[in-house]
Amino acid sequence: MGKSPIKLNITNNIKELRALDGIAQEELANAIDVTRATISSIEKGKYNPSLELAYKIAIYFNKDIQEIFKLENTHEKN
């Protein structure tokens, strides 16, 4: 049998970073050229951003991607 599929659980702390800086979702969205709904979906874990968008967010907050997005790597059990 082959290896089990890899499931990725990606979380982020964008909401917390925004709160620390006093930034609304709309302000962040405008700065990185996406909609407020996109920011909301990313924060809630309903949407994982592209690598390019993740870098834009990291650059905006002057952080490394790994400081914003956390990856939990798990193998699915059958």
Side-chain angles (χ1 to χ4, degrees), residues 11-40:
T11 60
N12 69 76
N13 61 354
I14 295 170
K15 186 174 183 176
E16 292 81 3
L17 290 170
R18 282 192 312 96
L20 286 172
D21 289 350
I23 299 165
Q25 286 180 338
E26 188 75 28
E27 185 177 344
L28 174 58
N30 290 337
I32 60 174
D33 199 28
V34 297
T35 65
R36 186 210 53 78
T38 298
I39 299 301
S40 177

Side-chain angles (χ1 to χ4, degrees), residues 52-63:
E52 179 180 355
L53 183 51
Y55 269 109
K56 284 182 178 181
I57 294 168
I59 290 167
Y60 180 86
F61 288 110
N62 196 30
K63 305 265 183 210

